[in-house]
Amino acid sequence: MNPVTTNNPEETRAFAAQLAPTLRAGDVLALHGELGAGKTCFVQGLAQGLGVQVAVSSPTYTLINEYSAPIPLYHVDAYRLSNTQAGLDLGLEDYFDGQGITVIEWAERVTNLLPDRTVHIYFEPGATPDERRLRVVLPSEAPP
Ligand code: ADP
Ligand code: MG
């Protein structure tokens, strides 16, 4: 079902957690949505699904957090990256080519750096304050 509607943070985390087993080292997830859309909440569920044992919080000030797990998780918040060059300086490409899964909040800040294989997830408001619509766009469905 796409988009998926979630009614609370737990459902958003559960949705992300059930995606985790489908992911492989080198996969890149680009999260799009306004402040409070649920992006960090999604990453918390993803981390749980990947077997990360520690609490995940937003890397807004550190820009990237690395979590060990059978497949490591690299959590990027690109909000404060002004442009592509800032993303390059941060070494984003090395993360994409690394042995883990990279998930990026505010991915539109670094569109030019995202590999073609990136899976995009759009977070949109729902009909009630706690409802969110999560739309997954696979690389095969993205416009060329
Ligand atoms: P973002 O990283 O996109 O800025 P966060 O995940 O940090 O967003 O915050 C989402 C906020 O919205 C949290 O306070 C969370 O409790 C709340 N919320 C309410 N409903 C939902 C939902 N269905 N999914 C995710 N978060 C929700
Ligand atoms: Mg966030």
Side-chain angles (χ1 to χ4, degrees):
M1 201 169 52
N2 200 17
V4 157
T5 299
T6 68
N7 296 293
N8 51 56
E10 291 71 31
E11 287 185 12
T12 295
R13 281 194 280 269
F15 173 69
Q18 55 94 31
L19 281 183
T22 72
L23 300 174
R24 300 287 172 269
D27 282 353
V28 178
L29 298 182
L31 310 186
H32 306 268
E34 296 305 316
L35 196 67
K39 302 181 295 299
T40 299
C41 182
F42 176 95
V43 178
Q44 289 166 344
L46 190 67
Q48 191 197 345
L50 289 171
V52 171
Q53 300 288 336
V54 299
V56 167
S57 58
S58 176
T60 299
Y61 297 103
T62 49
L63 301 179
I64 298 184
N65 286 341
E66 299 185 32
Y67 296 98
S68 357
I71 305 176
L73 178 66
Y74 309 135
H75 180 194
V76 182
D77 191 326
Y79 184 71
R80 284 147 56 90
L81 294 182
S82 44
N83 53 33
T84 303
Q85 186 58 47
L88 284 171
D89 293 346
L90 193 61
L92 274 188
E93 291 177 312
D94 295 335
Y95 284 98
F96 298 153
D97 295 336
Q99 291 307 302
I101 291 160
T102 308
V103 60
I104 312 166
E105 300 191 38
W106 299 99
E108 54 278 2
R109 295 276 199 276
V110 291
T111 303
N112 294 338
L113 295 179
L114 299 175
D116 291 342
R117 63 180 184 279
T118 301
V119 173
H120 293 268
I121 306 180
Y122 296 86
F123 292 70
E124 285 144 14
T128 66
D130 283 356
E131 200 174 286
R132 303 287 189 275
R133 299 221 169 90
L134 279 53
R135 190 160 48 87
V136 178
V137 179
L138 299 174
S140 56
E141 302 163 342

